[in-house]
Amino acid sequence: MNAKHNINVASPADPAAELLCSSNFGTFFGVSQEIFDTVWQKLTAPEGNSVGYVSMEIGADPDVFQPLKKLLLKEDIQQSKHLLANTILQKYLNGPRKIPNYSGGLGVLAGDTLKSFADLHMPVFGISLLYRGGYFSQIVDSKVGQIDHATQWNPESTPTLFPLCNPKHPEQPLEIEVPFFNGRSEPLRVTAQVWMKMEISEQLDYFTPEFLFDYSLPGAPDWITEAAGQLYNATSDVVKANQRRMLGSAVLPLLSALGFTSQTIHLNEQHGVTVTLHLILQELESIFGNNFASIVTDDDILSAAERVSQKIVYTIHTPVKAGHDRFSRQMYSSISHAAFQRILNLVALDDDNAHEYNFTAMAMRINRSINSVSRLHRDVTRQQFPAFAKKIKAITNGVHHLTWISDARAALFDSVPSIRNWRDVPGCFASLAIEDYPELTTGLQKAWKEDNHHLIAYINEMLEHHRTQMTETWIDPPNYLSRLNKPDWLEPNVFTIGFARRFSTYKRADLIFDDIPALAKILVDNDWPVNFLFAGKAHPEDEPGKSVLKLILDCQEELYTLSNGLGKLVFIPGYDMLIAKRMVSGVHAWLNSPKRPLEASGTSGMKAAMNGVPNISVLDGWWAEGYHEGKTGWKFGYDGPVDDADLSEDPSTLLYAEDSSSFYQLLPNILEIFYSQPEVFLTKAINNLKLNVPIFNTHRMTAEYIHTYDLKLTKQEATKIDIFRSLYQSESAEE
């Protein structure tokens, strides 16, 4: 076998067939049988030395990272004599690839995390839901704004997804029975089909399995069907609560069905926290028997909850109130039963509202460790949950560098001697040798120019498509430039600012357009052209977020006119990971303008930094750690003490006038540097590679998580993890 890729393409054997692997749960494609067996044995070992990573959304789009397909194309593996291998291969090479099971940062982070677990060969598996309606597909109309509709896709034809089969009846899919009480003492058992996606390591020598629960089955109750179709369905609190239950309540049935023995469950946000209710029930039944409900005291319940907490690791991702699940006690009583209500009354009380259960508070109580996603977010979370302040630590987020560094940059890094091992050791950027600087600087200029040209060409093709769309459909193009002549469209090498994320009021996407005459004057007075590229989605039920998106559209013509065509604002509809990768590598600076301190982390700016792209950001989330006193970019806006900060999202508290004015004061300095002092601008780019790539990668982040998991590692594994942990300590010694 080829040590690099575990596939012997030089032998007369059938290379595609070598990628078939099987178990009593079916046949899969992507790694050798030996590798598959190694992973499965780790997850089923009696000692339970493995982790289940539970997330409401997981985004790992193969458009931006697919080492297996890359190998197949590189080695020109297009056919197989093995019938089954050839069938899967053809689907793999030609089938629709997207799995629209994510909406934004939380899901993409989860996908990046699982990819790093695979690269590091850790015994971890992912758990999530499969949404046949996706999140939603976005159409943008200049007059209407965002138009959302269900995504149409077919899991059965998606080559990276595999339906598990029933070991006792291999011709049938694996279906698990998930208990829902719905006000009864005896559970109603609802069926979910189990799918598996394989997050294969960059070296193709390991994988992290990701299991998805599909509740959209024939005969499913209407209340299940309603909740199962679309990610973050918020049409009612009942639907929202049911979707959370469908995630958390299926965890234990999945472990039982697969024979997995994991002793640690990592909750990526509190969405799946109902798994703890079922674990507490298990504890009580094991001690007091089936009739425990009439016997146990509150102290017995709390003791069981404490034992269960030793199995739970909890990551909280937001200080924003809308991110914390709260449900009416009266409503929740109708979808649970008396035992659950007793538990909830003890562990899920809401300090602000006695009539609600607070599931974030429950997750805060039932765990062995709590982490926030940046140092600043840790401080805010301690302020919000003072009772748990001593327990709340920081594990600052990262991104999967192998996913987000562009091909042009990757080719450059491969050629520079001191960082040639960057794929396996992202920390090597910290040791950049001075003799490499000339080659790196020249190469970065060339790669950056190439990525910028690709991005601008993509935008102009989009504008052409929108122009055609204007005459063929009722959609009014979302971009003013589509109405102008092609010479007035975007040009490469013009300073380009990127902004792409979920549209929510506290993220203030429209902040820099608060005073368009002032912004335009900066450009006109100095004859500085600037491209402003925006993308992102607002939740279908978030009308204020949609209004912010519409304001972006409404600013386009005024900015263009007042700036004499120097300021060109473009909105890119249908934001996904492929668009994100084009943007973070093709722009010249990345903009982040949240109200401090409401951005817990903000991973999009990290993706830009991975490509050397400087950030222009409010000093919030990760940027408080990645700013490095201005060596890697610029800060603007309020950056006062967290203790004095207003955590409200009310429009009157969002500091538009103050923070936009700060941006306008900063922008001339940035543009002067870009257009007149390119060597200074490139220094900030190099500093991002040297200072931020070693810190803000998911290899380092997962190494910190592995430390909290208390996994028993071999000496070789422990050494590797210690190396990544040594790159950066989110929780510094003095804290």
Side-chain angles (χ1 to χ4, degrees):
M1 296 287 280
N2 183 302
K4 174 74 174 175
H5 293 298
N6 288 282
I7 177 171
N8 187 357
V9 295
S11 76
D14 189 333
E18 290 183 25
L19 294 169
L20 280 178
C21 47
S22 63
S23 73
N24 55 347
F25 293 102
T27 300
F28 313 101
F29 184 80
V31 297
S32 69
Q33 186 67 50
E34 180 183 1
I35 291 170
F36 185 93
D37 291 343
T38 296
V39 171
W40 216 260
Q41 286 165 9
K42 286 185 177 183
L43 301 178
T44 56
E47 58 268 24
N49 187 46
S50 61
V51 180
Y53 180 91
V54 182
S55 184
M56 182 65 87
E57 47 173 314
I58 298 177
D61 200 326
D63 283 346
V64 293
F65 181 74
Q66 185 48 266
L68 177 56
K69 186 175 182 181
K70 186 176 180 180
L71 175 70
L72 296 175
L73 295 175
K74 178 183 177 182
E75 303 294 347
D76 195 28
I77 302 171
Q78 299 186 30
Q79 298 287 333
S80 173
K81 296 178 181 179
H82 189 289
L83 181 61
L84 179 57
N86 193 58
T87 300
I88 299 176
L89 176 64
Q90 297 312 311
K91 188 166 75 166
Y92 208 90
L93 291 173
N94 305 304
R97 310 188 63 74
K98 288 185 181 294
I99 302 176
N101 281 8
Y102 65 92
S103 69
L106 180 71
V108 176
L109 171 71
D112 279 10
T113 302
L114 296 184
K115 284 180 277 190
S116 277
F117 281 135
D119 291 330
L120 298 179
H121 295 200
M122 289 296 107
V124 181
F125 58 96
I127 300 174
S128 191
L129 298 177
L130 187 149
Y131 312 89
R132 287 181 178 260
Y135 180 43
F136 71 90
S137 293
Q138 182 192 55
I139 296 173
V140 181
D141 181 286
S142 63
K143 293 185 173 64
V144 178
Q146 174 177 292
I147 302 167
D148 38 79
H149 62 98
T151 301
Q152 299 301 318
W153 74 294
N154 185 359
E156 288 77 9
S157 63
T158 303
T160 54
L161 268 183
F162 300 94
L164 299 189
C165 68
N166 186 328
K168 296 180 180 179
H169 304 282
E171 72 285 356
Q172 298 176 6
L174 177 65
E175 295 179 346
I176 58 174
E177 289 190 340
V178 184
F180 295 91
F181 290 91
N182 293 5
R184 309 168 184 172
S185 57
E186 292 299 320
L188 169 67
R189 299 194 179 274
V190 176
T191 300
Q193 182 179 346
V194 182
W195 297 76
M196 184 175 75
K197 183 173 185 285
M198 300 165 68
E199 303 301 347
I200 300 174
S201 68
E202 199 261 348
Q203 299 285 0
L204 301 178
D205 56 358
Y206 201 82
F207 76 98
T208 300
E210 172 188 324
F211 300 99
L212 306 175
F213 304 132
D214 180 7
Y215 284 89
S216 297
L217 304 179
D222 290 343
W223 57 273
I224 284 286
T225 303
E226 184 180 14
Q230 241 177 331
L231 173 60
Y232 296 137
N233 185 330
T235 52
S236 73
D237 279 349
V238 174
V239 171
K240 185 177 175 181
N242 282 337
Q243 195 170 72
R244 273 66 171 165
R245 291 199 299 160
M246 289 157 60
L247 176 64
S249 299
V251 173
L252 299 185
L254 174 74
L255 299 184
S256 177
L258 299 179
F260 285 5
T261 55
S262 308
Q263 292 301 304
T264 297
I265 295 172
H266 183 170
L267 297 178
N268 185 44
E269 256 308 341
Q270 41 71 34
H271 301 123
V273 73
T274 54
V275 66
T276 62
L277 296 176
H278 294 277
L279 284 168
I280 291 169
L281 282 189
Q282 273 191 356
E283 281 286 315
L284 295 173
E285 287 179 355
S286 68
I287 297 172
F288 299 100
N290 293 335
N291 297 322
F292 71 90
S294 60
I295 302 172
V296 297
T297 65
D298 287 354
D299 285 343
D300 294 328
I301 294 174
L302 291 173
S303 294
E306 177 60 28
R307 290 190 294 276
V308 166
S309 70
Q310 300 310 304
K311 298 183 177 181
I312 306 297
V313 170
Y314 170 48
T315 299
I316 181 170
H317 284 268
T318 179
V320 177
K321 186 175 181 179
H324 303 313
D325 285 340
R326 292 174 169 86
F327 299 109
S328 158
R329 293 176 65 168
Q330 182 178 3
M331 182 278 289
Y332 215 85
S333 67
S334 68
I335 60 173
S336 60
H337 65 120
F340 274 2
Q341 289 165 46
R342 282 191 66 186
I343 298 170
L344 292 168
N345 289 339
L346 293 170
V347 300
L349 293 180
D350 191 299
D351 293 335
D352 298 325
N353 191 333
H355 301 291
E356 290 184 335
Y357 291 132
N358 185 327
F359 277 38
T360 298
M362 179 165 70
M364 282 280 176
R365 291 184 176 96
I366 306 178
N367 62 75
R368 71 169 185 252
S369 69
I370 306 168
N371 76 275
S372 57
V373 289
S374 72
R375 291 178 178 176
L376 189 63
H377 179 226
R378 172 202 59 203
D379 298 341
V380 175
T381 307
R382 286 174 175 173
Q383 182 179 325
Q384 286 186 302
F385 298 93
F388 308 100
K390 292 183 179 179
K391 198 175 184 181
I392 298 167
K393 307 296 183 183
I395 297 181
T396 300
N397 278 341
V399 298
H400 189 243
H401 64 289
L402 297 165
T403 293
W404 295 107
I405 290 175
S406 76
D407 290 345
R409 259 79 156 197
L412 166 65
F413 301 156
D414 287 340
S415 71
V416 178
S418 64
I419 56 173
R420 279 182 180 153
N421 201 28
W422 67 274
R423 297 174 188 272
D424 296 326
V425 188
C428 69
F429 285 95
S431 302
L432 272 168
I434 193 69
E435 57 267 24
D436 289 328
Y437 272 50
E439 180 183 357
L440 182 61
T441 301
T442 301
L444 184 59
Q445 283 180 300
K446 182 180 178 182
W448 206 336
K449 185 175 182 179
E450 180 181 339
D451 287 330
N452 180 253
H453 277 242
H454 285 318
L455 175 62
I456 298 305
Y458 171 80
I459 300 295
N460 287 335
E461 288 175 10
M462 180 195 74
L463 295 174
E464 176 68 34
H465 171 69
H466 288 168
R467 187 198 287 272
T468 304
Q469 190 180 55
M470 181 166 43
T471 62
E472 294 179 351
T473 73
W474 57 269
I475 299 295
D476 199 49
N479 289 298
Y480 173 69
L481 292 183
S482 290
R483 295 176 171 79
L484 304 182
N485 296 323
K486 289 185 180 181
D488 297 320
W489 291 359
L490 302 189
E491 295 180 4
N493 306 321
V494 167
F495 186 70
T496 302
I497 294 177
F499 178 105
R501 54 184 52 82
R502 181 169 57 88
F503 271 68
S504 184
T505 52
Y506 78 89
K507 293 179 183 286
R508 304 186 304 183
D510 58 333
L511 176 77
I512 67 170
F513 307 114
D514 192 56
D515 187 345
I516 293 179
L519 177 58
K521 188 175 188 302
I522 294 169
L523 309 187
V524 172
D525 286 354
N526 300 278
D527 195 30
W528 284 327
V530 178
N531 300 324
F532 300 90
L533 304 184
F534 280 65
K537 297 177 178 179
H539 188 282
E541 302 298 323
D542 183 4
E543 293 303 327
K546 288 183 181 179
S547 296
V548 173
L549 192 156
K550 181 65 166 60
L551 283 169
I552 296 293
L553 308 180
D554 294 343
C555 291
Q556 294 177 338
E557 184 175 0
E558 183 182 4
L559 176 62
Y560 185 88
T561 302
L562 292 181
S563 68
N564 300 330
L566 291 169
K568 297 176 181 179
L569 169 58
V570 173
F571 187 87
I572 307 170
Y575 181 53
D576 64 6
M577 291 176 69
L578 184 56
I579 291 172
K581 186 167 183 176
R582 286 191 174 114
M583 291 182 69
V584 297
S585 59
V587 301
H588 297 108
W590 195 256
L591 175 68
N592 193 25
S593 49
K595 176 190 173 183
R596 173 184 161 105
L598 297 183
E599 185 77 276
S601 176
T603 52
S604 63
M606 299 176 188
K607 295 160 190 167
M610 290 283 152
N611 291 282
V613 174
N615 275 250
I616 307 170
S617 177
V618 170
L619 203 65
D620 200 6
W622 81 282
W623 190 230
E625 297 166 63
Y627 175 62
H628 301 288
E629 298 180 336
K631 294 177 182 177
T632 55
W634 297 269
K635 67 173 182 175
F636 69 96
Y638 171 81
D639 61 0
V642 168
D643 290 346
D644 299 334
D646 184 348
L647 300 182
S648 170
E649 296 175 75
D650 186 274
S652 65
T653 70
L654 291 181
L655 303 177
Y656 266 75
E658 299 90 332
D659 286 359
S660 63
S661 176
S662 177
F663 176 81
Y664 301 143
Q665 292 174 31
L666 173 65
L667 184 60
N669 175 50
I670 298 172
L671 294 176
E672 174 67 29
I673 291 173
F674 180 81
Y675 283 114
S676 302
Q677 304 174 60
E679 68 284 354
V680 176
F681 200 88
L682 278 166
T683 297
K684 288 188 182 290
I686 299 297
N687 284 340
N688 267 289
L689 300 178
K690 186 177 180 67
L691 298 174
N692 282 335
V693 175
I695 297 176
F696 300 104
N697 63 84
T698 42
H699 283 26
R700 184 276 308 161
M701 182 197 77
T702 52
E704 292 200 66
Y705 278 129
I706 289 163
H707 182 66
T708 70
Y709 295 160
D710 295 328
L711 291 174
K712 294 178 178 62
L713 305 178
T714 65
K715 185 176 181 179
Q716 183 178 8
E717 290 170 337
T719 299
K720 181 192 297 185
I721 296 306
D722 286 345
I723 289 172
F724 284 114
R725 284 189 66 224
S726 69
L727 293 176
Y728 185 69
Q729 292 294 308
S730 299
E731 197 70 23
S732 59
E734 67 271 16
E735 295 166 318

